[in-house]
């Protein structure tokens, strides 16, 4: 059907006359519910899926010896909701070559250090050009975290005999503690870069039985943390052995790793956030979301009736799917700005349904049946919904690329929510409302639809024949006009070619 066709000439009497004149058989009687049994079965299936989704989202269960944790409780919480510690570091020298890549390497090293210690939820992000922010949620002993990340230092391996610096933290890839079965005690392994291995081999081969001190420099103050004796020339990676306990070996490895950063950093600020404050913020945030969700559903059902009921069902499914993706996506960490992104995306999902329903009301007001209005409403609202959501998606992507910290959390939850809301409004909501209309397409009050004055005498489901006849006639006239215009252009084009060919041969046009 052409979208810009006019229905202004169709009168109630003309519709009745068309019906008496013997229109198509399917339009002679009011439309009845089609495939009623299969429609009811599909609605029941949707209800079962919704109930199961809510159960798996919110209800913990036990299967045999396995405890199931609902995915609503599996969402990773950020620092402001779960409590923990954060620290901000400033690069002390920004004039070094390839500063940006070195800052990224330092950020990666800090992140790897925390993950290796079991803090898998720790986030390390850059703030601006020369700052790095470290957040570690759900930490009971915050002093332990501060001792691990501490104040990043500079590490150097210096020969005691000659005071020559052999390698620095730039040459160390990884330092880790382990139990050495050959010596029966704990030791520290050093994995060096290829260049570091060459320098280390040269120094150790020339200074066997001498000591090499490992010096850590923090804020201009140097401290010797270990002075192992060189037992032999070391051509590959090295092992530092001695009377280590598990704790002392781990501490030495951490101190060495703190000096492997590409850029020297200085601790600017750190703060411990109470878990109680985060729990209160989460409680009130969720409470606000539930209240808003209930009010939105009440508004939709009161204003749009069965259309609103269909939208509410799809909104419930939307929330279940949304929570599932927030739980399974590894880079999602929920914060207070993230909760704001969730609420905003739910509002946008409702906004899409409002656009569709208002379009359906316009179509019905202008003479179409309920079923025809449903199809036209979704079709004509599609591009408006896509346009509004695409602009939001672009904004979210830019915030993810350029934003930091909580801004990224807001952008990520909003982006995920907008993508799911498109699926919810254009697929789930469309299917649910279609099944409702299949059950009842003759009671306009059920959907709060009203005719315009010009079509007040038309019934809700018996107008398709007359309306379609007018629309088909107008469409045919437009098609014939286009074909005639196309033929005229082709004739003009052919005449122009013939004239140019005749002129090129020296003849007269």
């Amino acid at each position: 059907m052409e979208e810009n066709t006019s229905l202004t000439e169709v009168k109630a009497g003309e519709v009745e006359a068309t019906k008496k004149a013997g229109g198509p058989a399917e339009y002679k009687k009011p439309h009845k519910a089609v495939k009623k049994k299969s429609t009811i079965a599909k609605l029941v299936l949707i209800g079962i899926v919704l109930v199961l989704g809510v159960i798996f989202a919110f209800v913990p269960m036990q299967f045999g010896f396995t405890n199931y944790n609902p995915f609503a409780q599996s969402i990773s919480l950020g620092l402001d909701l779960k409590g923990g510690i954060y620290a901000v570091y400033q690069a002390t020298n920004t004039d070094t070559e390839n500063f940006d890549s070195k800052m990224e390497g330092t950020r990666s090293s800090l992140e790897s250090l925390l993950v290796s210690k079991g803090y898998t939820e720790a986030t390390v992000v850059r703030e601006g050009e020369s700052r790095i922010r470290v957040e570690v949620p759900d930490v009971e002993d915050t002093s332990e975290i501060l001792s691990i990340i501490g104040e990043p230092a500079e590490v150097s391996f210096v020969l005691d005999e000659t005071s020559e610096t052999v390698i620095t933290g730039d040459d160390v890839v990884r330092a880790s503690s382990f139990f050495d079965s050959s010596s029966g005690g704990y030791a520290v392994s050093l994995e060096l870069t290829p260049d570091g291995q060459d320098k280390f081999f040269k120094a150790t081969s020339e200074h066997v039985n001498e000591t090499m001190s490992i010096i850590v420099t923090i804020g201009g103050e140097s401290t010797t943390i270990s002075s192992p004796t060189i037992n032999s020339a070391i051509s590959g990676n090295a092992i530092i052995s001695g009377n280590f306990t598990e704790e002392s070996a781990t501490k030495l490895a951490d101190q060495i790793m703190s000096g492997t950063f590409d850029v020297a950093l200085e601790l600017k600020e750190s703060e411990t956030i109470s878990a109680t404050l985060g729990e209160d913020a989460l409680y009130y945030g969720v409470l606000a979301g539930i209240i808003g969700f209930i009010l939105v559903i009440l508004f939709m059902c009161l204003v749009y009736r069965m259309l609103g009921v269909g939208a509410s069902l799809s909104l419930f499914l939307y929330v279940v799917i949304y929570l599932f993706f927030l739980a399974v996506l590894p880079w999602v960490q929920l914060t207070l700005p993230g909760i704001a992104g969730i609420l905003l995306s739910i509002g946008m999902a409702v906004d899409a349904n409002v656009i569709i329903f208002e379009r359906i009301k316009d179509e019905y007001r202008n003479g179409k049946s309920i079923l025809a209005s449903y199809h036209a409403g979704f079709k004509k609202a599609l591009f408006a919904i896509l346009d509004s959501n695409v602009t939001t998606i672009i904004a979210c992507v830019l915030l993810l690329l350029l934003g930091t910290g909580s801004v990224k959390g807001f952008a990520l939850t909003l982006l995920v929510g907008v993508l799911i809301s498109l699926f919810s409004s254009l697929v789930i909501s469309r299917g649910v409302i279609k099944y409702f209309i299949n059950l009842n397409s003759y009671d306009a009050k059920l959907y709060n639809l009203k005719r315009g004055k010009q079509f007040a005498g038309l019934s809700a489901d018996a107008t398709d024949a007359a309306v379609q006849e007018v629309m088909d006639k107008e469409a045919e006239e437009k098609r014939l006009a286009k074909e005639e215009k196309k033929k005229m252009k082709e004739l003009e084009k052919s005449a122009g070619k013939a004239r140019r060919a005749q002129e090129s041969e020296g003849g007269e046009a």
Side-chain angles (χ1 to χ4, degrees), residues 361-419:
K361 291 174 72 174
D362 288 341
E363 296 297 324
Y364 184 81
R365 187 182 299 112
N366 291 329
K368 288 186 179 179
S369 67
I370 293 177
L371 191 59
S373 300
Y374 154 80
H375 286 290
F378 273 92
K379 181 179 179 181
K380 294 181 179 181
L382 175 62
F383 291 104
I385 294 172
L386 289 177
D387 288 344
S388 63
N389 282 274
V390 165
T391 54
T392 305
I393 290 172
I394 293 173
C396 290
V397 172
L398 290 175
L399 288 176
L400 283 173
L401 294 176
L402 304 177
T404 58
S406 57
V407 174
K408 282 190 174 183
F410 169 79
L412 183 58
T413 54
L414 181 58
L415 177 61
V416 174
V418 168
L419 293 176

Side-chain angles (χ1 to χ4, degrees), residues 214-236:
I214 304 174
I215 301 174
V216 176
T217 303
I218 302 177
E221 298 183 3
S222 299
T223 304
T224 301
I225 60 175
S226 181
S227 297
T229 300
I230 302 171
N231 295 327
S232 61
I234 302 173
S235 59

Side-chain angles (χ1 to χ4, degrees), residues 191-451:
E191 181 181 344
L192 306 177
T193 63
D195 185 48
Q197 290 179 2
D198 294 339
K199 291 186 289 187
F200 210 65
F201 173 70
K202 183 178 183 299
T204 55
S205 60
E206 296 175 356
H207 298 273
V208 177
N209 296 325
E210 296 181 11
T211 57
M212 178 185 290
S213 294
I214 304 174
I215 301 174
V216 176
T217 303
I218 302 177
E221 298 183 3
S222 299
T223 304
T224 301
I225 60 175
S226 181
S227 297
T229 300
I230 302 171
N231 295 327
S232 61
I234 302 173
S235 59
N237 296 326
I239 293 177
I240 304 173
S241 58
N243 298 322
F244 289 116
T245 63
E246 181 180 5
E247 183 179 351
S248 61
T250 302
K251 181 179 180 181
L252 178 59
D254 291 344
Q255 288 176 317
I256 294 173
M257 282 299 293
S258 69
T260 62
F261 306 127
D262 297 328
V263 176
L265 298 175
E266 179 185 0
L267 181 64
K268 299 299 291 185
E269 62 176 293
S270 65
E271 185 176 345
T272 301
I273 297 177
S274 169
T276 303
L277 178 63
E279 290 173 358
D280 291 342
L282 180 61
Y283 170 77
Y284 288 112
V286 173
L287 180 62
I290 293 174
I291 294 174
F293 186 76
I294 293 174
L295 292 176
V296 166
I297 288 178
L298 289 175
F299 170 80
M300 295 295 290
C301 293
L302 289 174
V303 175
Y304 299 105
R305 298 182 188 175
M306 287 305 294
L307 294 177
V309 172
S312 300
L313 289 176
S314 67
L315 201 58
F316 272 108
L317 287 170
Y318 163 79
V319 170
V320 171
I321 297 172
Y322 197 2
L323 291 175
F324 172 76
F325 276 97
L326 291 178
V328 299
L329 292 177
W331 54 83
V332 172
Q333 194 172 67
L334 192 60
T335 60
L336 279 176
I339 292 177
I342 292 174
L343 298 179
L344 181 58
S345 61
I346 292 175
M348 294 190 68
V350 175
D351 178 65
N353 283 290
V354 170
I355 293 173
I356 293 169
F357 296 162
E358 288 299 324
R359 195 64 177 176
I360 290 174
K361 291 174 72 174
D362 288 341
E363 296 297 324
Y364 184 81
R365 187 182 299 112
N366 291 329
K368 288 186 179 179
S369 67
I370 293 177
L371 191 59
S373 300
Y374 154 80
H375 286 290
F378 273 92
K379 181 179 179 181
K380 294 181 179 181
L382 175 62
F383 291 104
I385 294 172
L386 289 177
D387 288 344
S388 63
N389 282 274
V390 165
T391 54
T392 305
I393 290 172
I394 293 173
C396 290
V397 172
L398 290 175
L399 288 176
L400 283 173
L401 294 176
L402 304 177
T404 58
S406 57
V407 174
K408 282 190 174 183
F410 169 79
L412 183 58
T413 54
L414 181 58
L415 177 61
V416 174
V418 168
L419 293 176
I420 299 175
S421 71
L422 280 174
F423 172 78
S424 173
S425 58
L426 298 178
V427 178
I428 299 177
S429 181
R430 183 169 189 165
V432 172
I433 293 171
K434 178 183 178 182
Y435 299 145
F436 285 165
I437 293 177
N438 284 344
L439 291 176
N440 190 323
S441 62
Y442 48 84
D443 187 356
K445 292 182 179 179
L446 196 62
Y447 306 98
N448 199 21
L449 300 177
K450 297 179 181 179
R451 293 289 191 196

